[in-house]
Amino acid sequence: MRLPVMSGVATAAVAIALHPLFQGGAWFWTSLGIILVVTGIGMLAAHYTLPYWLVPPAQLTAVWIYLTAVFTGPQAWALAVPTKDSVLRLAELAADGFTDIQRFAVPVPSSPGITLLTCTGVGLIAVCVDFLAVRLRRAALAGLPLLSLFVVPASFLDDPLGWWVVVLGALGFLGLLVADGRERVGHWGRTVLVRRAPSFVAPRPADDPSALRLSGKRVGFTAIALAILLPSLLPTLEPDPLFGFGVGSGKGGSGNAISFPNPVANLRRELSLPANSTVLTYLTSDNSSRYLRLYSLDVFDGEQWTMTEPTGRPEDRTSAGPLPPAPGQGPGVPASQVTTRITVSEEVRDLKFLPLPYPPGTIRIDGDWRPDRETLMVFSHTDTAGGASYEVVSAEPRPTAAMLKAAGPAPEAIRERYLPLPDDLPSEIRRLAEEVTGEGATPYEKAILLQEFFTTKGGFTYSLATQGHDGSALADFLLRSRSGYCEQFAASMAVLARVLGIPSRVAIGYTGGGSVSGRWSVRTHDSHAWPELYFEGAGWLRFEPTPSGPVGQASASRPSYTYPEVLTDRGDEPSAAPSAGSTGADPSSGPSAARRNPALDRDFGGVPLAVDEGMPAAAKAGIGAAAALLVLLIPALLGYGTRRRRRSLYSREAAPARESGPARQAPEPAGVTAVSAERGNAAGAAVAAAWADLDDALCDYGMAREPSESPRALARRLVRQYGFDAEAAASVTRIAAAVERLLFARTPGATGPMSEDVRRVRRALAATVPRGRRIRAVLLPPSTLLRMRAAGARILDGFDRLGNIRLRLPARRDA
């Protein structure tokens, strides 16, 4: 009966590997129920010896009934028996589940459809494991379906599974193999004993295969330990930066088209990575930071933002000269020429797009790189950006507030591409856009009011704990929770801008990062999303609705033209490029001075915002060395704790125990002898502790004690063999006499403090051994190692407890 149970346990243990794919635990408990159903049918089949070919159909039928009861109970007969309506409802839920899987990025919500698909898959795996391990007696082959549960998260996650998940799954499979081995060895019959066991060791049943099980468990646990620990000792690269995206979201394609990722799907993952790896570094001609854009998302389908597949013409290669002009940027808007030299880390892999400041004008880089004329995203069919160094010359527009207020309507082509919204967009979102920007008279003023709504007036907070980027999450973010990270802020502002008739899109890339020795460094946690809004004459301009600083994304910053102060009526006075020394255009003198510290604003000449540069390599090495030292000192700490506990027993005087007959000696079968005393006998506990301490000292210093030696004989031999002085000889004699009185006397008598006697004997023993042996006795005491080994053996034996469970089922009755 243990084999069907262990099959279910192994499946449940390995199924835990799916947990990074889901939000919440509803999927697991529902899957656990289906595993219990399959296991129950397998146990009944084993007890009543059903034909092996009949068990899988019975289990599949039980799985169907279980799914019907859990997901479509109201449509079923008696809440469990499948009907036509319940079957149709299950099919609808399965279709919804497939749709949700395509819509959501991991971790996906535990919707009924996704949970149904997950439970069905786990149930099928459980049936396969039971069939291979129990019916066909091929437990090793059962590892193949179990391995498939590990493959699923590995296919969707860039980060490796946690070590504890791998250990738990390996232990489940190891338990299945142990259960199979026990049944096989148990059928070999009675074994013949070659030599008699010692009289003090209880004989084992002749057919008990425990020795073989113990050896197998040791091999299995050693393999698991090596599989977990050995990779951690090998050198490896930092975790992938932003470039391990999953399924792409492009539309169409051709044989010469490149595949590109869904940038939004894993933006949150990059922001929450524990390792803040360096992605790239750069220098600018004006020593200021720049946002670096990778992707431009222009399509909002009501569920998420995606990008139209870019096209690169051969005549537009970066090697052919300047890039096409930036859409919408006219000659009447002042612009500043900035040169940026960028070096991408060699650890960045498979990146087909260049991180660039917008709008790029001329790019000097080796390879075949081409821009998309509409968005100026630069990509390559054949080259990758990892390890590349290149120079970008860009003409950044510096519009004044008056210019943006007077901007004319966008061309029809821009409006057709960058204004569409789904017809089913909630009306509450449309009303919210109108309410927030009611005071704005022009599209530019409305855009600034939108940004202020997100950054200061709307009560929004920055948090990575969000529920995805679908339409319902967007509505929840805007209307209820108002808590999210840069993706929600950027996507929401772009949607509201389109509601107001302002062409918008979402950019994905990096903030400016932090300055390190005069060079800007961009790291994984600088991954960012922001909206770009279109104004005729100035083209596409960046806005920043995401909170920055300690309460938001640390390295985010707002462009100078997006502060509310520029809305103040200054006539036609230019206000586009306030400098650190200017006064009239300095936002710190405006109404929002209390809200903002210009010293933290790069755009106004201040110092860079604080950026987490990660832990220095020296600190990491120090922590690693300290952790390794702590692990090595575990035996020493355990030994010290044991001696201290014993010393608290024998360091005080204990009253004699009441007469209760002679105590009995209970020798341990292991090499270290202990003295047992009656419970509640303080004198006996003190003597036993002192004798155990002395026994440990003999073991630590490599001095064997013969099992046949009495305490008095041991004391005489130690004094004679190691030349104890008078004090040490008297101490060991007193300890031996106390032990003998405890063992054989009717009234052992009072016991005085023995701490000084034990300490004196330990010093005398230590003086007879080399210094290396004394150091080992302190750092790696053999007595403690023996106890740790015995504890490990008990843990391994306890691993069989589940396999020893025997359920008493009613016996089969013959008719």
Side-chain angles (χ1 to χ4, degrees):
M1 198 65 66
R2 66 174 63 92
L3 200 52
V5 173
M6 291 309 302
S7 297
V9 170
T11 305
V14 177
I16 296 178
L18 301 176
H19 84 279
L21 303 179
F22 301 94
Q23 299 172 5
W27 70 272
F28 175 75
W29 299 113
T30 312
S31 300
L32 183 61
I34 210 168
I35 293 173
L36 292 176
V37 168
V38 173
T39 303
I41 298 298
M43 294 172 61
L44 292 174
H47 180 74
Y48 291 105
T49 63
L50 294 180
Y52 75 92
W53 55 267
L54 189 59
V55 179
Q59 290 173 329
L60 292 175
T61 303
V63 166
W64 186 12
I65 295 174
Y66 174 83
L67 295 175
T68 301
V70 172
F71 294 96
T72 62
Q75 290 82 22
W77 182 73
L79 300 179
V81 180
T83 62
K84 179 180 178 182
D85 293 337
S86 69
V87 172
L88 293 177
R89 178 56 182 160
L90 282 178
E92 293 177 1
L93 288 177
D96 293 342
F98 280 111
T99 302
D100 290 342
I101 290 175
Q102 301 299 321
R103 291 167 47 197
F104 295 107
V106 294
V108 298
S110 296
S111 65
I114 293 178
T115 304
L116 171 63
L117 293 179
T118 304
C119 293
T120 303
V122 172
L124 294 177
I125 295 296
V127 172
C128 292
V129 172
D130 182 88
F131 180 72
L132 292 173
V134 183
R135 313 307 151 192
L136 299 183
R137 296 302 177 91
R138 297 291 187 269
L141 288 179
L144 294 178
L146 291 176
L147 182 62
S148 65
L149 289 176
F150 277 114
V151 173
V152 173
S155 302
F156 289 92
L157 300 174
D158 292 325
D159 296 331
L161 293 173
W163 65 267
W164 65 271
V165 176
V166 179
V167 169
L168 197 60
L171 290 178
F173 182 56
L174 181 61
L176 179 61
L177 295 179
V178 169
D180 179 68
R182 289 190 60 182
E183 291 205 0
R184 291 178 181 273
V185 175
H187 294 161
W188 288 354
R190 300 179 63 86
T191 58
V192 178
L193 294 179
V194 177
R195 56 190 178 94
R196 181 180 297 275
S199 59
F200 57 84
V201 179
R204 293 173 176 168
D207 59 347
D208 182 15
S210 59
L212 292 174
R213 294 201 313 272
L214 182 59
S215 299
K217 286 182 291 184
R218 286 175 177 169
V219 171
F221 276 84
T222 302
I224 293 174
L226 290 177
I228 299 300
L229 297 178
L230 187 59
S232 65
L233 302 178
L234 298 177
T236 182
L237 297 177
E238 294 285 342
D240 291 344
L242 182 62
F243 315 116
F245 298 121
V247 180
S249 57
K251 301 168 183 59
S254 61
N256 197 31
I258 67 169
S259 61
F260 54 88
N262 182 346
V264 174
N266 290 290
L267 180 60
R268 173 188 172 191
R269 181 187 66 83
E270 303 303 327
L271 290 172
S272 59
L273 278 176
N276 195 14
S277 308
T278 298
V279 179
L280 58 88
T281 58
Y282 66 94
L283 291 170
T284 57
S285 57
D286 59 359
N287 296 323
S288 298
S289 65
R290 292 293 186 278
Y291 273 40
L292 302 176
R293 191 190 64 164
L294 278 169
Y295 311 104
S296 178
L297 315 184
D298 60 325
V299 178
F300 180 67
D301 59 4
E303 300 293 340
Q304 59 182 337
W305 284 87
T306 57
M307 64 179 176
T308 303
E309 182 178 353
T311 56
R313 303 180 183 181
E315 62 270 20
D316 290 337
R317 289 188 180 96
T318 56
S319 58
L323 274 62
Q329 187 171 339
V333 176
S336 59
Q337 296 284 340
V338 179
T339 300
T340 307
R341 296 177 179 87
I342 302 173
T343 301
V344 182
S345 171
E346 293 182 355
E347 297 178 8
V348 175
R349 297 184 296 274
D350 300 328
L351 178 61
K352 296 288 188 178
F353 289 74
L354 291 181
L356 297 170
Y358 185 85
T362 302
I363 303 176
R364 299 180 181 92
I365 186 175
D366 296 331
D368 184 5
W369 296 89
R370 307 179 187 185
D372 176 74
R373 288 197 171 190
E374 299 296 330
T375 62
L376 295 186
M377 293 185 294
V378 178
F379 59 95
S380 175
H381 297 278
T382 57
D383 299 296
T384 58
S389 296
Y390 50 96
E391 182 179 277
V392 185
V393 179
S394 54
E396 298 180 352
R398 299 287 184 179
T400 64
M403 292 177 181
L404 295 178
K405 289 179 184 179
E412 186 63 25
I414 296 291
R415 298 177 61 86
E416 288 180 357
R417 179 170 178 178
Y418 296 102
L419 281 182
L421 288 170
D423 296 335
D424 58 350
L425 187 72
S427 58
E428 294 87 348
I429 293 180
R430 297 182 183 273
R431 286 197 299 269
L432 178 65
E434 299 293 341
E435 293 172 0
V436 169
T437 60
E439 299 178 358
T442 65
Y444 171 64
E445 294 173 339
K446 292 179 182 293
I448 292 184
L449 290 173
L450 277 182
Q451 181 175 268
E452 286 297 298
F453 170 66
F454 287 105
T455 55
T456 59
K457 299 179 180 179
F460 289 86
T461 58
Y462 183 87
S463 172
L464 292 176
T466 60
Q467 298 296 321
H469 52 269
D470 65 320
S472 61
L474 178 67
D476 180 76
F477 172 74
L478 283 172
L479 305 175
R480 288 176 289 276
S481 71
R482 296 196 173 180
S483 176
Y485 64 107
C486 57
E487 179 215 326
Q488 278 73 35
F489 285 95
S492 300
M493 182 171 176
V495 169
L496 296 183
R498 289 194 178 189
V499 170
L500 299 172
I502 306 174
S504 63
R505 64 192 186 189
V506 174
I508 302 289
Y510 297 97
T511 61
S515 179
V516 180
S517 302
R519 189 176 185 89
W520 296 95
S521 177
V522 175
R523 304 173 74 88
T524 309
H525 290 181
D526 295 318
S527 304
H528 195 49
W530 63 91
E532 293 179 338
L533 275 57
Y534 182 88
F535 296 93
E536 183 64 20
W540 291 100
L541 299 179
R542 174 176 69 88
F543 284 74
E544 186 52 272
T546 303
S548 60
V551 297
Q553 188 156 349
S555 53
S557 63
R558 295 163 64 177
S560 59
Y561 53 79
T562 65
Y563 284 101
E565 290 82 356
V566 300
L567 296 181
T568 304
D569 187 10
R570 300 189 180 103
D572 294 333
E573 180 184 353
S575 60
S579 63
S582 63
T583 56
D586 187 358
S588 62
S589 62
S592 66
R595 291 198 307 266
R596 201 168 52 79
N597 183 358
L600 299 180
D601 228 324
R602 299 191 189 96
D603 290 310
F604 291 92
V607 299
L609 291 169
V611 178
D612 179 14
E613 297 297 340
M615 185 178 298
K620 293 181 179 179
I623 293 177
L629 180 62
L630 183 61
V631 171
L632 294 176
L633 289 179
I634 288 177
L637 296 175
L638 292 178
Y640 174 77
T642 301
R643 290 193 301 273
R644 186 171 181 178
R645 185 183 70 253
R646 291 171 179 167
R647 192 177 302 119
S648 66
L649 294 175
Y650 60 71
S651 61
R652 58 181 181 269
E653 186 172 357
R658 292 177 295 180
E659 182 177 333
S660 58
R664 294 183 178 179
Q665 186 177 7
E668 293 181 352
V672 182
T673 303
V675 178
S676 63
E678 293 181 353
R679 293 182 181 275
N681 188 340
V687 173
W691 185 251
D693 218 356
L694 179 58
D695 205 36
D696 279 358
L698 294 174
C699 180
D700 293 341
Y701 296 130
M703 302 172 183
R705 181 171 67 85
E706 299 296 334
S708 60
E709 275 186 316
S710 66
R712 183 177 303 180
L714 175 64
R716 286 199 304 265
R717 182 172 65 83
L718 292 179
V719 172
R720 183 178 62 254
Q721 182 176 353
Y722 298 107
F724 284 7
D725 58 20
E727 291 184 350
S731 294
V732 72
T733 302
R734 280 193 294 269
I735 296 174
V739 173
E740 287 191 341
R741 287 198 305 271
L742 177 65
L743 290 174
F744 306 115
R746 181 174 295 275
T747 56
T751 302
M754 307 178 68
S755 57
E756 186 60 31
D757 288 333
V758 174
R759 187 179 298 111
R760 190 177 293 118
V761 173
R762 288 185 67 96
R763 285 201 299 265
L765 293 174
T768 63
V769 298
R771 179 180 298 179
R773 172 69 71 171
R774 293 197 299 271
I775 294 175
R776 179 189 175 189
V778 174
L779 299 180
L780 291 174
S783 58
T784 302
L785 296 178
L786 286 174
R787 279 191 292 273
M788 294 174 64
R789 178 181 178 182
R794 288 193 295 271
I795 293 174
L796 292 177
D797 290 335
F799 188 73
D800 284 338
R801 293 180 183 274
L802 185 60
N804 289 329
I805 296 177
R806 299 182 183 277
L807 301 179
R808 300 297 182 183
L809 298 176
R812 181 180 53 184
R813 295 183 178 180
D814 297 330

